[in-house]
Every structure is written in structure tokens, then in C-alpha cells.
Amino acid sequence: MTSNPMVLSITDLFEEACTYRVPIYQRAYAWESGEIETLLDDIRSAANRGTPYYLGSLVVARHNDEQNTYEVIDGQQRLTTLYLLMAVLRHIPDNYEGAALPKWNMRLQYECRDEYEQVLKQCWHGASLEQLTSTIAQAGSSVQAKMCRPLLDGYRIIYQYMKTPDKWINTSYLLGNVKLVRDELPSETDFNRYFEVMNTRGVQLRPEDIVKARLMSAVHSQTDREAIGRIWDICSDMDHYMQACATTSERDRWFGKDWSSCPPDDWSQLIDGCDCGDVIAGSNDIRAFNDVLGEACLMNHSQRIQETQPTTQVEDEGESYHSIISFPGFLMHVLRIHCGDESVPLDDAELLNAFDKTVFNTSQEEDMAARNTKQFTATLLRCRFLFDNYIIKSHSDSGAPLDAAEWTLRRYASSATRGKRTHYFANMFADGCQREVVMIQSMFQVTETGNNHKNALYSILQWVWKRGYIDGRAFLQELRRQSQRRLKKTLNLESGQTEGDCQSRICAVVNRGVGTEHFIFNYLDYVLWSLLSPERDTPSISAVMTSEGQRIAERVREAWKEYAAASENYGEAQRLDCSRFRFRYRNSVEHFFPQHPLSGEKAPADVDSFGNLCLMTVRENSRRNNLDPMEKIRHFNVGQQSLKFQFMVGKAVGEGGWSRAQIEEQTTLWVRLLGVLAGDGDAASDGAAV
């Protein structure tokens, strides 16, 4: 289909004197933090394994009018992300492990998008984040500025990722071992026909399709094969509850008469009463893999789900649910639980390799392989049930923007009214536990935003897997323990440290500007929510603090009451409001006092200290990051921001400004509170100013 395919490393790509032009019919750059961070996570994982990483194909067509100029047919989002990555690498002062950056001879252009040209040219000439921000700030709220912001947001996401200490990717690896295949279409290609084929060919064969076919081909009977196929189908639709994808008989058999009981882990119970039909003559042999694979690909997933939709009316038609992980990513968690082996990676790029080493181990006897296959499938069904019941989803009304979604934790159950079976959704736990369980899980989710390496999700799923009945209070206590352990690890604390060592280590970790770990901000917001939320049905986190921790917590509460009361005199958008706080994908570190103020005022020496930092969305930060603190307060809807930001607003307004004194006081307060929360002894008894 293509000619002259070439494997190019990043060095090859950028040193070659070529121009890549994105045609006007292609969409603008649209990757956000999820896609960018997933790509960088995958590259970092491959670097840790020491294996090359292939980005896929860059499909191009040679431009007839200009030499060494290509039109980008497919792959422009990845290409633009690499372009921004190269710009970031030129402005990170950390050492490059001896790697020399390539000469930047390659050019990237977006046809008929003049608003992109200045930003792309600045990247090519080595513009810094501040220079790019200034360029867009000068354009104000114009259409041109809005069009350019995705580029700036992408640059900022990559910059902050590469500045995070434990996420740095070895530069030598990045330049030499991250590769793509440039496929050049023949000059006689009918582009209209090419796009038609691309858009109508249907879903391509994916690694998970191969795994499904291999599972089905490993068992002996038609009944087992059909059961594996059905379980796989209902588990693979991650944005619907499992029961919604099952037939009525499957719900009764697998989830009990209430449709909300945990499935059995015994294979014979799962297929008991299966309506797949009797084993047909001659089918008691293991099917050839290619035969099963062909059958598995005959019908696409949406058709399969449509045929098995429940006959009852869905009561929440106006709502949509979104899983926090993809099905291939979920499979890696199930495989680790099935194997009981922590070395199984939580990276779906390793899907086929990991299954080959475990479930499809060729050293197994035929009967053992069949038993292992059936046991894995039973584990998959049970894990998916636990996932649906005990792991949060995002939930929004139809048409609502994704960032406005609420976090939800609900169970699917049935009821009978006048002899008619239907279903409903109910909160999993009583209100007090429910709210905090959702809050802690959403804290983990906005920290581990990518699809892979979701260690918090695995820890939670593993914990519920080992238990039958899950009590809400016991679950909440476990989540608190897991979050505290994560905090201690993130702060680089060890047992038995002196108070001075503890404080100095925390300062070294939190005063890193944009390199400060996002979990620390999110954990502090969770703690502030716990301390400040009114009408709690469960004890706040301060109930388990040391005596000194409780004194700090009380000072925090008193300060908040003062700030919140004073904010009643502000405009509606500037009022402090703890009740509206939700964890959102705030993934950009904001300096409250900017590093480069538009006013020209010099930033304080401790501008990167924790007391001057908070998290915001990339888009909010890119619009107003150079405004002075009091100007930021006037421009932001304060009540919708993080609680740490709201705390800074309350202090700044109450004291008539924000300077080094306020930064030092806030840094001292939060460092001491974090030390207490991490469980390493009392903070100093004299406390800190709030």
C-alpha cells in the first residue's frame, strides 16, 4: 500500500532537512494531558526495559511542488507532540547523560493556520515556555490565541512531566531508541479513496482480540468456548455495568436473583445452566487458533453488545459512565491478580508478552492449559464485578463537558414491581463513608491520569479481591492507610527519623516548583476537605492525628472560618467554598506569585516554595499564569479551584497582598502538617502562622 518505508529515530527525524505540512483538511492539534502523558509513560517504561519503542506509522505523501516537503496524511498528532518534546528538551537545564541534542533541521507547518506559525517557529528557534506564554498572552482572547493554546498546553504538559524527578526519560534512549516508520504513499494514490478505506475498514485486530481467541482455542468444549466469549464480551465494555451487557439468564446465573451478587470463582458454577447448547459432535477437541480468531473477528464489538442488551428499560438514559481505565489496561490488573505475581507489568503494551509468559505458557500440559484458561476467565468476571462495585467511575449528564463530570460509586441491582423485573442504581455505601471513599479514589485518579501504571487502582482492587463482604468503614480505613503510605513514600520519609530530618526531607521534596509531585497537592486538598467539610457523618482525618497534628488542624479550621466569612463580602466568583470542591484533572503547577510577573516586579527568591504553589488545569494556568496574585483572584472563579488555592486567596485578601512573608508562613504550615500526616511524629509545638 505504501512505498519507501523508513524507520526513523527522533534524531533521524529532526536532523533530516524535511518539511512536514499538515493539510487544511486535517484537524488542528488536539492532544491533551491523557494522550501526552500516556505516550511519555509508555516511552519511559520501554526505556526502563531497555527495548526500542515504536510510535507507529507516519503516513505521508510527497509534495509535488517542493523538494523534501511531505503532506502528513496520518500521524500528525504524534508528530506535533514530538516537535513540542524537542523544544522542551532544549530548555531543561538538567544534564542529558552525555547525549547531544540533534541539529534541528526539520520543519513543521500547518497549512492555512497562520496562528500556528509563530508558535511553531518560536519552538524551532528555541523559545522557552515563558516566551511562548508571552506570545499567546499578547494575543489576548482573540481567535488566534485560542487556536494556539493547545500547542502551549502540550508544551507545558511535557515540560512539567520532564521536570518531575521520577519521570525523567533518559535522553540518549529518547533520541536513539524511540522510532517511527515513515510510510510514503505512491504518487498515483487516490487520496479520496484512501481516506474512504481508512474510515470504513472497521476495527483493526487488536492485541486483546488475539488474547480472546487464544483463550477460546485453549479449551475443549463448545460450551466452554461460548462461555469464555460471552464473559469476555460483557467485561470488555468498560463504560457500562456488566449486567447491562448480559442477557437475563446470564444475570441470574452469574449475579444472583438480585443481579448484584459477586460471581462464583468456580468454572462449573459459571457454566451451569448455560444456554450455549449441548456439545456438538466432534467439538470436543481444541480448536485451531486461526479458526477461533476468524470467528472472533466476524462480528464487531458494537454488534455483539447490541444483540445482548437487556430487555428492561435503562433508567439513566440521560447519564453516561466512563471507566478510569481501558479494557487492555484492566486486563493487566486481572492478570497480576490471577498470577499472584507483582512482577506482572501494569502496562498494556506488554499484553501479549505477559499472557505468553503466564496463561499461555507453552510448557503446560494440555489439560493444565485449559484449566488455567478457565480460571483466568473466572477471575476476569469476578474482578470486573468488583471493579464496577468498588472503583469509581466518572459520570455526567448528556452533553456536559468531560471536566464537569462527577465521580460516582454505585451498584447495579434489580427489583420486582408487579411481577416485572427491572434494575436500578444505588450508592455502594452509607453517605458518610461513600463521600470520603469517592474523594480518596478520585484523588488517586487525578494523580495517576494515564491508562497504565495505575498502582493505586491495583492496590485497591487487590484488597477487595481478597475479601468477600466489604464493609464501608473498613474500606475507608484501608484507603486512608494506602494514601498515607503513598504520602510517606512520596515525601521520601523513613521510620525512626528525627523531627529535623523529617522536616528537611519534606522541604527538599515539596519546594521544587513545577517539579513538585502532584500527589502531594492532591493529598493536601483531600486533607483540607476532610478538615473543613461541615456535617460529616464519619470522623475527619484529624481524629487519628497526634495531639500536635490536631492543634495544627484546629488552627487551619479557624483560619478557614475567618477567610470564608470575609469572602462573603467578595463578588460571587471570589467567594471561598469548600462544599463545591471536587477533584478535577488539575495537572499544571501554578505559581500564585508568578515567576515572570507582567507588572515587571521581581519575583521573590522562594517563588518555587510549596506555600506559593497549587494545581490548576493547564488551560487555566496558560491563560493567567503571569498575572499578579491579586489580579489572579479577580480573574478566577475561586470557589471552583483547589482548596490550597482558596486558602492562599483567603490569606492574600485578609492580609492585603501576597509576598515572601506569606509564602514562608504557608510553606512552614503545610510542611509541618504533611509531616504529621505522614506519621513521623509531632511537629514543633510552637506551630506555624496560618
Side-chain angles (χ1 to χ4, degrees):
M1 193 169 189
T2 60
S3 62
N4 303 322
M6 293 184 63
V7 178
L8 301 174
S9 67
I10 291 184
T11 295
D12 297 332
L13 180 68
F14 281 88
E15 285 191 341
E16 188 178 18
C18 291
T19 297
Y20 294 92
R21 181 175 297 165
V22 180
I24 187 60
Y25 54 77
Q26 296 269 30
R27 64 173 179 162
Y29 184 64
W31 270 19
E32 297 181 345
S33 59
E35 295 95 340
I36 295 173
E37 291 182 0
T38 296
L39 174 64
L40 296 175
D41 284 343
D42 289 346
I43 293 173
R44 183 162 53 87
S45 295
N48 292 337
R49 295 192 303 269
T51 57
Y53 182 80
Y54 288 90
L55 283 165
S57 295
L58 174 65
V59 182
V60 299
R62 191 176 294 272
H63 199 283
N64 293 329
D65 299 332
E66 299 178 43
Q67 189 176 12
N68 293 333
T69 297
Y70 297 97
E71 285 198 3
V72 179
I73 308 302
D74 187 40
Q76 60 105 347
Q77 300 288 329
R78 292 190 299 273
L79 183 63
T80 306
T81 302
L82 289 179
Y83 203 86
L84 297 174
L85 174 59
M86 181 59 66
V88 167
L89 288 177
R90 299 175 75 176
H91 286 280
I92 292 183
D94 301 341
N95 75 77
Y96 292 116
E97 300 92 11
L101 294 180
K103 295 179 180 179
W104 195 340
N105 298 320
M106 185 263 277
R107 299 285 188 102
L108 177 64
Q109 299 174 350
Y110 273 78
E111 187 178 21
C112 298
R113 289 190 176 96
D114 295 339
E115 64 277 358
Y116 273 32
E117 284 301 302
Q118 188 173 8
V119 173
L120 292 172
K121 285 181 179 178
Q122 282 186 300
C123 285
W124 190 77
H125 286 294
S128 65
L129 176 61
E130 291 74 21
Q131 289 170 321
L132 294 175
T133 302
S134 176
T135 296
I136 294 181
Q138 290 171 10
S141 59
S142 65
V143 173
Q144 288 79 7
K146 292 178 180 178
M147 290 292 291
C148 288
R149 282 203 179 98
L151 290 175
L152 178 62
D153 292 348
Y155 186 106
R156 189 187 304 278
I157 291 164
I158 297 169
Y159 183 87
Q160 294 194 358
Y161 186 101
M162 296 295 284
K163 284 287 289 181
T164 303
D166 65 346
K167 291 186 176 181
W168 173 259
I169 302 171
N170 179 281
T171 312
S172 296
Y173 174 89
L174 193 63
L175 299 175
N177 291 280
V178 176
K179 303 178 181 182
L180 53 77
V181 178
R182 184 175 67 198
D183 279 352
E184 182 180 343
L185 293 174
S187 58
E188 66 274 11
T189 300
D190 180 342
F191 291 144
N192 290 332
R193 177 58 182 159
Y194 180 81
F195 282 112
E196 180 183 343
V197 171
M198 285 179 63
N199 293 327
T200 61
R201 181 183 294 167
V203 179
Q204 294 182 353
L205 192 63
R206 301 160 299 182
E208 59 267 33
D209 298 323
I210 297 173
V211 171
K212 175 186 178 182
R214 294 187 69 178
L215 289 171
M216 294 175 67
S217 66
V219 295
H220 298 264
S221 73
Q222 180 72 13
T223 299
D224 287 340
R225 279 194 291 273
E226 289 288 346
I228 290 172
R230 289 296 302 125
I231 290 172
W232 186 276
D233 285 344
I234 71 169
C235 288
S236 61
D237 187 344
M238 298 297 290
D239 288 337
H240 292 88
Y241 282 80
M242 300 169 64
Q243 296 93 321
C245 300
T247 64
T248 300
S249 63
E250 287 169 343
R251 295 181 204 172
D252 290 341
R253 185 168 67 253
W254 292 337
F255 310 111
K257 293 301 181 182
D258 61 355
W259 296 351
S260 63
S261 297
C262 192
D265 57 4
D266 180 76
W267 184 254
S268 61
Q269 291 181 267
L270 290 178
I271 64 172
D272 181 40
C274 180
D275 53 9
C276 302
D278 296 331
V279 178
I280 60 175
S283 68
N284 203 34
D285 297 321
I286 295 179
R287 297 280 303 284
F289 167 69
N290 287 339
D291 293 340
V292 180
L293 182 60
E295 292 176 5
C297 296
L298 283 176
M299 184 178 296
N300 67 41
H301 182 72
S302 61
Q303 291 172 317
R304 185 67 164 171
I305 293 299
Q306 187 176 7
E307 289 188 1
T308 57
Q309 283 297 311
T311 55
T312 54
Q313 182 73 15
V314 177
E315 296 178 2
D316 62 335
E317 285 182 330
E319 301 175 341
S320 59
Y321 296 91
H322 301 283
S323 170
I324 64 173
I325 192 171
S326 72
F327 182 58
F330 179 69
L331 284 174
M332 301 307 294
H333 289 70
V334 177
L335 185 60
R336 182 184 279 191
I337 287 174
H338 168 73
C339 297
D341 184 357
E342 297 281 325
S343 68
V344 173
L346 299 179
D347 182 354
D348 62 13
E350 294 291 308
L351 186 69
L352 291 177
N353 185 45
F355 270 84
D356 281 342
K357 292 179 178 179
T358 54
V359 179
F360 305 136
N361 191 326
T362 56
S363 64
Q364 296 176 3
E365 295 291 335
E366 186 177 289
D367 288 344
M368 177 62 73
R371 286 197 297 272
N372 197 19
T373 293
K374 289 184 281 189
Q375 186 57 52
F376 171 80
T377 307
T379 302
L380 172 62
L381 184 69
R382 193 176 179 91
C383 277
R384 180 59 204 275
F385 175 86
L386 295 172
F387 179 88
D388 278 355
N389 282 269
Y390 297 107
I391 304 298
I392 59 167
K393 300 177 186 291
S394 63
H395 152 250
S396 62
D397 294 330
S398 298
L402 186 59
D403 195 50
E406 294 291 331
W407 303 105
T408 183
L409 185 65
R410 305 168 81 183
R411 63 184 178 89
Y412 185 111
S414 72
S415 62
T417 304
R418 297 176 183 177
K420 181 181 178 181
R421 294 283 296 280
T422 184
H423 78 269
Y424 63 93
F425 294 96
N427 284 347
M428 194 64 205
F429 302 116
D431 285 348
C433 290
Q434 176 89 1
R435 286 198 297 270
E436 190 165 355
V437 165
V438 170
M439 190 64 70
I440 296 177
Q441 286 199 38
S442 57
M443 170 191 69
F444 281 128
Q445 170 58 20
V446 299
T447 302
E448 297 179 348
T449 57
N451 184 61
N452 293 316
H453 313 293
K454 299 177 84 69
N455 294 299
L457 170 59
Y458 172 73
S459 295
I460 297 169
L461 195 58
Q462 182 193 43
W463 189 85
V464 299
W465 167 263
K466 293 179 178 179
R467 287 153 182 83
Y469 171 74
I470 308 297
D471 174 73
R473 289 184 179 272
F475 192 32
L476 176 56
Q477 289 174 358
E478 174 61 21
L479 291 176
R480 285 178 172 177
R481 281 193 292 268
Q482 290 191 19
S483 60
Q484 185 187 42
R485 287 196 296 268
R486 173 74 170 267
L487 177 67
K488 187 172 182 178
K489 180 179 179 181
T490 304
L491 294 176
N492 194 28
L493 299 180
E494 300 171 357
S495 300
Q497 288 177 297
T498 65
E499 179 185 322
D501 286 342
C502 172
Q503 299 295 305
S504 62
R505 285 203 179 191
I506 294 174
C507 286
V509 171
V510 303
N511 295 332
R512 292 178 176 174
V514 297
T516 304
E517 287 281 354
H518 291 191
F519 177 76
I520 301 171
F521 295 101
N522 289 326
Y523 187 84
L524 183 58
D525 274 341
Y526 153 65
V527 170
L528 290 175
W529 171 84
S530 178
L531 295 177
L532 305 175
S533 293
E535 301 177 2
R536 291 180 54 85
D537 296 327
T538 56
S540 79
I541 198 169
S542 63
V544 295
M545 286 182 179
T546 61
S547 58
E548 178 56 25
Q550 292 179 16
R551 285 193 289 271
I552 296 175
E554 188 56 36
R555 287 199 296 274
V556 168
R557 290 193 188 97
E558 291 301 319
W560 177 263
K561 288 179 184 178
E562 177 186 336
Y563 298 157
S567 77
E568 293 298 320
N569 300 319
Y570 308 166
E572 179 65 28
Q574 280 70 48
R575 289 178 185 165
L576 309 187
D577 189 352
C578 177
S579 65
R580 283 194 291 169
F581 174 73
R582 301 290 186 276
F583 278 110
R584 302 287 186 231
Y585 291 105
R586 304 178 178 100
N587 45 17
S588 180
V589 176
E590 160 77 350
H591 290 77
F592 193 43
F593 196 109
Q595 294 174 295
H596 306 282
L598 290 177
S599 64
E601 181 182 357
K602 186 178 181 181
D606 54 357
V607 68
D608 283 334
S609 293
F610 190 65
N612 189 50
L613 307 173
C614 69
L615 291 182
M616 286 190 169
T617 66
V618 171
R619 196 167 300 278
E620 287 175 321
N621 198 356
S622 66
R623 290 173 181 170
R624 306 179 179 96
N625 67 313
N626 285 332
L627 294 178
D628 292 335
M630 305 310 286
E631 280 298 310
K632 285 178 179 172
I633 294 171
R634 284 188 280 272
H635 281 79
F636 282 115
N637 188 327
V638 174
Q640 293 183 355
Q641 303 301 326
S642 73
L643 293 178
K644 188 177 187 303
F645 179 84
Q646 293 189 50
F647 225 95
M648 290 192 291
V649 169
K651 189 172 184 66
V653 173
E655 299 182 9
W658 187 262
S659 63
R660 185 169 187 174
Q662 284 76 26
I663 293 174
E664 289 180 349
E665 289 175 1
Q666 287 281 279
T667 301
T668 300
L669 170 67
W670 302 136
V671 166
R672 290 181 171 178
L673 181 57
L674 289 170
V676 171
L677 293 168
D680 277 80
D682 287 355
S685 58
D686 58 353
V690 176

